[in-house]
Amino acid sequence: MVALGLALGLVMPLILWVRRSAGVDFSFASYIDNSMVLQKEPAGAVIWGYGIAGATVTVTVGQAQETVMKKVTRVKADSNTWMVVLDPMKPGGPFEVMAEQTIGRMNFTLRVHDVLFGDVWLCSGQSNMEMTVSQIFNATREMSDTAAYQSVRILSVSLVQAEQELEDLAGLDLPWSKPTSENLGHGNFQYTSAVCWLFGRYLYDTLQYPLGLVSSSWGGTPIEAWSSQRSLKACGISKQGFIPPDSLGGPSKHSVLWNAMIHPLRTMALKGMIWYQGESNTNYNMDLYNCTFPALIEDWRQAFHHGSQGQTERFFPFGFVQLSSYLSNTTSGDGFPQIRWHQTADLGFAPNVRMPNTFMAVAMDLGDRNSPFGSIHPRDKQTVAYRLHLGARAVAYGEKHLTFQGPLPEKMEHLVDKGLLNLTYYQKIHVQRQDNKIFEISCCSDHQCTWLPAPMNASTTWTLALDVCPCHGTLGALRYAWTTWPCEYKQCPLYHPSSTLPAPPFVAFMTHQTPGHHSKDAR
Ligand SMILES: *[C@@H]1O[C@H](CO)[C@@H](O)[C@H](O)[C@H]1NC(C)=O
Ligand SMILES: *[C@@H]1O[C@H](CO)[C@@H](O)[C@H](O)[C@H]1NC(C)=O
Ligand SMILES: *[C@@H]1O[C@H](CO)[C@@H](O)[C@H](O)[C@H]1NC(C)=O
Ligand SMILES: *[C@@H]1O[C@H](CO)[C@@H](O)[C@H](O)[C@H]1NC(C)=O
Ligand SMILES: *[C@@H]1O[C@H](CO)[C@@H](O)[C@H](O)[C@H]1NC(C)=O
Ligand SMILES: *[C@@H]1O[C@H](CO)[C@@H](O)[C@H](O)[C@H]1NC(C)=O
């Protein structure tokens, strides 16, 4: 035993040394691999890797012995890296991508097989994005539903943090792979992300061409960990910040996940991103989330556009999940309504002027009291992904006339004599249930404002009348669903009639005062 151990100890370094001298100096970036999906037209996909300074690198894309295109570049002396931008390709495949390094008479070749062209989406966030297909409702069936989706390929980035921006990933939990039930449910909160997978699957049903899904998420992490120093600075947050890890336990040091898990991907040409995060900011910089989130979107857009040599669109589509519900035992409120609101830059809907080309899946009606992973981890990820994919179809793919938002309020009218507040929506409304508490009015007198319930009274196709009789002062504001758990599963009061999309939560301040009820600023 001892002798064998010694022998192995001697042989291993030797093998490594031989491999290195025979061309390990020449390699693809960590995520250029068999079975990958590269971004299709109108973008050109980016291929890069490492080599010997000064060497010539020829990248060839081929199909059935035929060369489709050839690109030549040189290995840069300062970084020992090379990069080519391919010509825009129609969706399809499979292709073989070959890279050949020539220096003097030495000639090394690398190949990856089964490469498809399609749309690449990056999925990021905390544990609700990390939750795997094995953890959701109908898991067994969802995990085995892969036969029709072999052109939807998945990759999962390892959990790594770094003090400096990394040029390449430090590791992959799952290299580019075809979906199998094992890859979809490797273990709780491991890989593959259920929201990411289902989002891709729904999109594939419509698009019918290859999709690449890149998951890079870590549970229990605040947005500051995913933000570059530039975007934190834009919100007046110092780069040194650190909060003690909460019970969910992800890293919380500023920028460390941006550095290790996002920055290395910026060279990849992408179609868009989806994001499910915010729970960890209900107790950290909550009031700044209306800055940190729009700033992260803007910063990632800049970084990915530049990193991909302009191939990823400057304002690429960015979708996000508005926080769901959970059973909180704090009486003082726990920030969920505030984060939901801040996720929309305090406008209540997406896209909006502060967040162009974004889309949102409302999830507050998908609470799951009995989730074995805690009610903070609801198991219905199908509906989340379905709502998100509607947003993608409308915003990212330009599908006209597709309803992707729940009803949004347009105007309020205080009918003083009747004791009613009429709320008119932009879209038709379906009142699924009467609720006497979910609408609240801020009732003000003597410079004191109190939130009082405004029971739902009557409705028409567009307008909802709320009973505001109990308020004997001035109406300052109106809010909807401003609690951590606004309703039971799919039982919120207001939905769009045909799409079953819930009306999102909002707070609105009265600006047009009715005669006899003046108040300059009720806030
Ligand atoms: C590299 O080697 C391969 C196989 O030996 C050969 O076909 C190819 O022409 C060589 N390329 C160059 C640039 O020398
Ligand atoms: C963000 O929200 C906080 C707290 O509600 C508010 O004071 C601030 O004005 C908002 N900032 C922006 C940029 O919307
Ligand atoms: C909430 O409940 C959990 C589990 O029962 C308990 O550990 C925690 O201390 C409670 N928090 C508060 C603020 O009551
Ligand atoms: C689970 O499957 C049942 C039976 O097909 C279906 O009614 C239900 O909607 C599914 N649940 C989810 C969350 O998709
Ligand atoms: C609606 O408001 C009217 C007038 O205030 C009142 O008489 C009626 O009882 C209310 N109906 C409901 C269902 O609350
Ligand atoms: C207010 O809503 C009630 C109930 O839907 C409706 O009867 C009434 O006509 C509305 N009033 C106005 C001014 O819209």
Side-chain angles (χ1 to χ4, degrees):
M1 282 304 283
V2 173
L4 187 63
L6 263 177
L8 277 175
L10 285 172
V11 169
M12 286 295 287
L14 196 63
I15 292 171
L16 288 176
W17 185 82
V18 169
R19 266 177 58 81
R20 193 159 183 82
S21 66
V24 169
D25 281 340
F26 184 50
S27 62
F28 284 120
S30 62
Y31 48 83
I32 306 288
D33 209 344
N34 295 332
S35 302
M36 69 180 165
V37 176
L38 293 174
Q39 182 57 43
K40 70 164 186 72
E41 62 178 8
V46 179
I47 305 277
W48 71 279
Y50 308 91
I52 298 165
T56 303
V57 175
T58 309
V59 176
T60 314
V61 178
Q63 190 171 35
Q65 318 293 339
E66 218 172 281
T67 299
V68 175
M69 85 177 87
K70 200 171 255 201
K71 296 277 160 186
V72 183
T73 186
R74 265 181 197 286
V75 179
K76 283 188 249 160
D78 54 347
S79 58
N80 284 89
T81 59
W82 51 270
M83 180 179 285
V84 296
V85 176
L86 301 182
D87 298 335
M89 294 283 287
K90 294 215 173 314
F95 291 90
E96 183 179 79
V97 175
M98 189 176 87
E100 196 175 64
Q101 172 174 263
T102 321
I103 184 159
R105 277 185 300 173
M106 289 197 293
N107 168 349
F108 306 119
T109 304
L110 305 166
R111 283 170 216 273
V112 290
H113 308 277
D114 189 20
V115 175
L116 306 178
F117 286 85
D119 280 338
V120 182
W121 284 86
L122 173 61
C123 310
S124 184
Q126 52 181 110
S127 54
N128 272 308
M129 184 59 95
E130 251 187 328
M131 249 175 111
T132 66
V133 185
S134 60
Q135 293 178 272
I136 65 174
F137 283 130
N138 301 336
T140 313
R141 200 176 66 217
E142 301 291 5
M143 283 162 65
S144 59
D145 185 12
T146 56
Y149 299 101
Q150 294 299 300
S151 304
V152 182
R153 306 287 172 80
I154 50 183
L155 172 144
S156 201
V157 173
S158 296
L159 279 59
V160 177
Q161 44 181 323
E163 295 292 334
Q164 303 295 329
E165 291 179 343
L166 304 186
E167 294 305 314
D168 198 355
L169 296 171
L172 290 167
D173 280 351
L174 183 71
W176 279 114
S177 303
K178 291 184 182 178
T180 61
S181 72
E182 209 215 339
N183 290 339
L184 293 180
H186 186 80
N188 291 347
F189 301 108
Q190 297 202 1
Y191 50 88
T192 293
S193 157
V195 170
C196 192
W197 166 248
L198 295 167
F199 172 77
R201 214 180 64 182
Y202 284 125
L203 273 185
Y204 183 83
D205 287 340
T206 309
L207 300 172
Q208 295 289 312
Y209 61 67
L211 285 168
L213 304 171
V214 178
S215 304
S216 185
S217 14
W218 196 331
T221 50
I223 195 168
E224 289 78 2
W226 298 100
S227 302
S228 75
Q229 291 186 11
R230 282 180 308 276
S231 56
L232 293 174
K233 205 173 152 204
C235 298
I237 298 174
S238 92
K239 63 179 184 184
Q240 301 302 350
F242 176 79
I243 48 165
D246 59 23
S247 54
L248 297 167
S252 46
K253 214 168 164 184
H254 293 180
S255 305
V256 290
L257 303 181
W258 155 258
N259 289 341
M261 294 175 68
I262 302 296
H263 184 265
L265 296 168
R266 78 205 183 290
T267 29
M268 198 185 253
L270 294 178
K271 174 70 180 180
M273 293 187 191
I274 56 171
W275 171 258
Y276 193 163
Q277 190 278 337
E279 298 89 339
S280 285
N281 284 98
T282 55
N283 53 18
Y284 186 62
N285 283 344
M286 180 184 81
D287 287 343
L288 291 175
Y289 203 85
N290 53 6
C291 183
T292 48
F293 185 41
L296 174 138
I297 296 173
E298 168 55 18
D299 187 64
W300 286 21
R301 280 174 167 168
Q302 267 187 44
F304 277 73
H305 180 68
H306 292 301
S308 66
Q309 315 288 308
Q311 297 306 308
T312 298
E313 270 180 46
R314 176 65 181 80
F315 292 97
F316 62 77
F318 193 108
F320 61 96
V321 182
Q322 194 178 40
L323 294 192
S324 187
S325 299
Y326 97 108
L327 296 171
S328 150
N329 51 5
T330 60
T331 46
S332 58
D334 44 35
F336 267 54
Q338 287 82 352
I339 290 288
R340 287 188 193 119
W341 186 239
H342 288 342
Q343 285 182 295
T344 67
D346 300 357
L347 290 158
F349 54 90
N352 63 56
V353 286
R354 288 190 59 200
M355 300 165 66
N357 219 24
T358 59
F359 51 95
M360 167 170 88
V362 175
M364 67 172 178
D365 65 332
L366 302 176
D368 182 3
R369 287 180 180 277
N370 303 316
S371 172
F373 314 103
S375 64
I376 200 148
H377 297 125
R379 286 167 294 172
D380 181 356
K381 294 293 190 258
Q382 288 89 335
T383 308
V384 168
Y386 182 78
R387 291 175 182 173
L388 210 46
H389 112 284
L390 289 178
R393 280 168 57 185
V395 171
Y397 295 97
E399 220 177 289
K400 299 262 185 283
H401 312 300
L402 179 74
T403 303
F404 70 102
Q405 294 166 314
L408 301 166
E410 183 185 2
K411 62 171 196 216
M412 298 182 282
E413 209 174 344
H414 187 186
L415 311 171
V416 184
D417 324 340
K418 295 188 182 153
L420 291 177
L421 182 69
N422 274 19
L423 182 65
T424 305
Y425 281 83
Y426 279 109
Q427 293 100 322
K428 285 185 184 172
I429 52 173
H430 165 67
V431 177
Q432 169 158 276
R433 186 174 60 81
Q434 295 293 325
D435 191 308
N436 290 332
K437 294 203 189 89
I438 200 161
F439 280 99
E440 293 169 289
I441 42 166
S442 168
C443 181
C444 308
S445 52
D446 301 332
H447 306 291
Q448 283 279 340
C449 297
T450 340
W451 288 105
L452 295 177
M456 292 166 60
N457 184 296
S459 65
T460 62
T461 322
W462 301 88
T463 304
L464 190 68
L466 303 170
D467 188 349
V468 295
C469 288
C471 178
H472 299 295
T474 309
L475 297 191
L478 172 70
R479 65 188 189 185
Y480 173 66
W482 208 262
T483 59
T484 306
W485 185 283
C487 61
E488 289 306 311
Y489 182 71
K490 293 192 176 175
Q491 290 297 315
C492 271
L494 288 182
Y495 287 84
H496 184 276
S498 56
S499 67
T500 68
L501 291 172
F506 72 86
V507 56
F509 297 93
M510 307 284 172
T511 47
H512 308 294
Q513 299 298 328
T514 0
H517 284 78
H518 291 288
S519 149
K520 266 246 158 331
D521 187 1
R523 272 170 261 195

